[in-house]
Amino acid sequence: MRKDFLWGGATAANQCEGGWQEGGRGMAIVDVIPHGANRMPVMKGIMDYRDLPKDSYYPGREAIDMYGHYKEDIALFAEMGFQCYRFSFSWSRIFPTGEETEPNEEGLRFYDDVVNELIKYGIEPVVTLCHFDAPLELVEKYGSWKSRKMIDCFLRYCDVVFRHFKNRIRYWITFNEINMLMHLPFMGAGIRFEKGEDEIQVKYQAAHHELVASALAVKLAREICPDAQVGCMLAAGSVYPYSCNPADVWESMKKDRENYFFIDVQARGEYPEYAKKFLEQQGIRIGMQEGDLDILKENTVDFISLSYYNSRCVRSDGQGEASGGNVFASAKNPYLECSQWGWPIDPMGFRITLNALYDRYNKPLFVVENGLGAVDTVEEDGKINDDYRIDYLRSHIKAMIAAVEEDGVDLLGYTPWGCVDLISATTGEMSKRYGFVYVDKDDMGGGTLKRVRKKSFEWYKEVIGTNGGNLL
């Protein structure tokens, strides 16, 4: 691996920060996404959070209270040897309603403290501007990214943080897993559907607004902090045909394109031909302003960041057993084992995905999420022996190193997801753990929030210390 390769870990404000009523923070999307049976309907935008039962539990409001524990957590990251830490700013902590003309100074001071603490330990901040996040006021007033007004609100926020942190943050990501808008519209972008709305029209219109906002954020960063690098981010994972039946191969190609659409625009600067045809065939008319296409063309990203948890598999006949695999529908791949949550475990798919993205875009890649969600057991002696997590990460890091050293993929860094246990985005559970650091909290909010090093903590410390040389 290159000598300046960045090893680290990743979290997001909406899943770890908490402090929802502290420091002048405004309400955000995550604050109204409940735990339990209503979670998925709310995240899909088909159930109105305002209709939820009064006794609903909202796990993201406290999460693991990194707002009150960031010094302890960053010290643990430093102990592991992190060279970078990927996290997100909470937009509503800086602009509580999203429409203020001046930022919330207390919110900026909090991120000052976090960034300065990272720098104190020599850890490079990698900041996502919008990670499944928006001020709730903008959702209620404008319908979130349904409205073009969001672009100005987002750019006001970007302008403030670029100016404030321009000498301290080199790596920015505009939108986390931007393609998630298509699968979980409310969680991904604050999109709630009204009765009778054309959902696919709404999603692609919102997508256009986000794509223009992302391009204008790139433009703004180049003006304010020209030494910074700005990337996009997708939920990645190659889609395999279930068989060599050409119909299956064609179906897998269509699913890959569905995934690549956003990044094609952000990295290449234009709507691809297949997307234009799809929109035409579906009768979708994207409302654009004059100059939008020039904005997209002239402000492409510097790097492609991605999450990778699993590959997918599709059958053209729609038959056969289904697999878990995050929120993406998939046929069960008979060659792969699955995690406790039904996600296929596919390290070779990681190598395939990295190669496919690098071949397609020829821009540096940055793996900003990868990991295994699993139930951890605290033994009687207090130890947490998460060998299954070590096995998963070892196999994926081996595949990643092969992609770099044998295949020539240009990779900036690797930040496994949930380096400290946090709330699951899809299920809202704490029991679905990813971290090297255990947090004492249960699915319904009980626990001391005490941090405990897992077995994987020392293992990953050795991986970083040897630049991936020792994976034993």
Side-chain angles (χ1 to χ4, degrees):
M1 304 298 279
R2 58 204 281 176
K3 289 180 180 177
D4 61 349
F5 188 80
L6 293 169
W7 295 93
T11 65
N14 66 313
Q15 288 163 259
C16 71
E17 191 174 282
W20 73 295
Q21 290 182 313
E22 298 182 62
R25 178 185 174 280
M27 290 276 282
I29 291 170
V30 69
D31 300 327
V32 296
I33 298 179
H35 181 271
N38 291 326
R39 186 175 182 85
M40 192 57 71
V42 170
M43 292 195 298
K44 288 182 175 180
I46 58 176
M47 181 179 186
D48 193 324
Y49 60 86
R50 294 172 296 190
D51 297 332
L52 290 167
K54 286 187 168 40
D55 61 350
S56 296
Y57 168 55
Y58 302 94
R61 292 182 176 185
E62 183 191 47
I64 61 163
D65 187 32
M66 192 177 272
Y67 186 80
H69 292 74
Y70 72 90
K71 286 190 177 182
E72 177 185 358
D73 292 335
I74 291 171
L76 288 165
F77 301 159
E79 186 182 334
M80 271 186 282
F82 279 20
Q83 294 146 357
C84 71
Y85 171 49
R86 184 240 171 168
F87 65 109
S88 69
F89 289 168
S90 168
W91 183 352
S92 64
R93 193 171 292 288
I94 297 173
F95 284 93
T97 71
E99 290 198 290
E100 292 84 358
T101 54
E102 297 295 329
N104 170 30
E105 291 298 331
E106 201 171 346
L108 277 178
R109 275 198 304 275
F110 171 70
Y111 292 118
D112 269 333
D113 292 342
V114 171
V115 169
N116 290 342
E117 194 75 7
L118 291 168
I119 291 170
K120 180 177 87 175
Y121 288 108
I123 299 173
E124 184 92 50
V126 179
V127 175
T128 308
L129 290 158
C130 188
H131 190 127
F132 300 158
D133 184 37
L136 195 64
E137 184 79 14
L138 297 180
V139 174
E140 295 182 345
K141 190 171 181 180
Y142 299 120
S144 191
W145 288 98
K146 291 180 186 179
S147 170
R148 195 176 177 99
K149 290 181 185 293
M150 286 290 283
I151 297 175
D152 290 338
C153 295
F154 181 69
L155 293 176
R156 190 182 309 116
Y157 157 59
C158 291
D159 184 86
V160 164
V161 297
F162 288 157
R163 292 184 192 282
H164 193 81
F165 294 100
K166 66 180 178 182
N167 297 318
R168 289 177 286 167
I169 297 175
R170 284 195 302 162
Y171 294 99
W172 298 92
I173 298 165
T174 55
F175 292 92
N176 175 73
E177 293 186 337
I178 190 168
N179 50 323
M180 199 59 73
L181 185 161
M182 295 296 169
H183 307 279
L184 297 175
F186 186 78
M187 184 189 79
I191 302 296
R192 187 181 66 236
F193 298 109
E194 305 297 337
K195 189 175 181 179
E197 263 189 321
D198 184 339
E199 293 186 12
I200 193 168
Q201 169 72 39
V202 168
K203 287 192 282 190
Y204 275 97
Q205 184 64 61
H208 179 73
H209 292 151
E210 284 199 351
L211 290 167
V212 171
S214 178
L216 288 172
V218 171
K219 182 175 187 288
L220 201 57
R222 288 181 180 148
E223 292 167 356
I224 296 170
C225 40
D227 293 333
Q229 297 280 296
V230 184
C232 58
M233 199 271 203
L234 82 154
S238 294
V239 182
Y240 303 146
Y242 186 77
S243 73
C244 54
N245 179 341
D248 286 354
V249 176
W250 176 241
E251 191 65 25
S252 72
M253 186 175 182
K254 288 195 294 182
K255 289 295 182 185
D256 270 336
R257 282 175 163 179
E258 183 182 299
N259 221 20
Y260 290 142
F261 159 67
F262 288 89
I263 312 304
D264 279 351
V265 178
Q266 291 173 295
R268 292 173 163 174
E270 56 191 13
Y271 277 70
E273 291 302 322
Y274 69 80
K276 293 177 186 175
K277 282 292 181 186
F278 172 80
L279 295 172
E280 179 186 318
Q281 290 158 5
Q282 296 293 318
I284 299 167
R285 296 178 180 272
I286 302 296
M288 297 188 191
Q289 288 190 4
E290 188 176 349
D292 279 4
L293 296 180
D294 291 333
I295 288 167
L296 297 175
K297 189 68 177 175
E298 294 164 9
N299 301 289
T300 54
V301 293
D302 300 305
F303 65 91
I304 316 290
S305 67
L306 65 137
S307 63
Y308 177 86
Y309 295 99
N310 52 264
S311 58
R312 291 188 285 154
C313 187
V314 292
R315 298 173 57 132
S316 57
D317 60 9
Q319 301 298 306
E321 187 179 355
S323 174
N326 212 333
V327 298
F328 299 99
S330 180
K332 187 170 178 60
N333 189 325
Y335 297 98
L336 299 176
E337 298 295 319
C338 291
S339 75
Q340 288 170 285
W341 269 264
W343 299 20
I345 297 173
D346 186 8
M348 177 56 79
F350 190 23
R351 182 176 179 178
I352 291 166
T353 297
L354 291 171
N355 274 274
L357 289 171
Y358 191 60
D359 286 352
R360 190 176 187 96
Y361 301 116
N362 199 27
K363 287 180 184 274
L365 305 182
F366 202 145
V367 178
V368 295
E369 290 185 31
N370 172 237
L372 177 71
V375 173
D376 292 331
T377 301
V378 182
E379 306 292 347
E380 287 186 13
D381 60 3
K383 291 183 179 177
I384 300 150
N385 297 308
D386 57 338
D387 296 277
Y388 39 86
R389 183 168 292 108
I390 293 170
D391 291 343
Y392 175 98
L393 291 169
R394 179 190 293 118
S395 64
H396 283 72
I397 291 172
K398 281 182 178 178
M400 176 182 76
I401 290 172
V404 172
E405 296 186 349
E406 297 179 34
D407 309 332
V409 171
D410 185 4
L411 194 60
L412 298 173
Y414 175 73
T415 61
W417 176 247
C419 47
V420 54
D421 288 345
L422 37 63
I423 301 292
S424 166
T426 49
T427 67
E429 296 167 302
M430 270 301 299
S431 54
K432 185 183 182 185
R433 298 176 183 273
Y434 286 86
F436 305 113
V437 176
Y438 182 92
V439 178
D440 178 30
K441 186 169 185 177
D442 63 30
D443 287 343
M444 295 311 297
T448 64
L449 297 177
K450 180 183 176 183
R451 273 62 167 162
V452 181
R453 297 166 185 80
K454 302 179 189 178
K455 185 176 181 179
S456 58
F457 184 102
E458 293 297 331
W459 175 82
Y460 191 50
K461 180 178 179 179
E462 178 67 15
V463 171
I464 296 173
T466 59
N467 196 22
N470 186 4
L471 296 172
L472 297 177

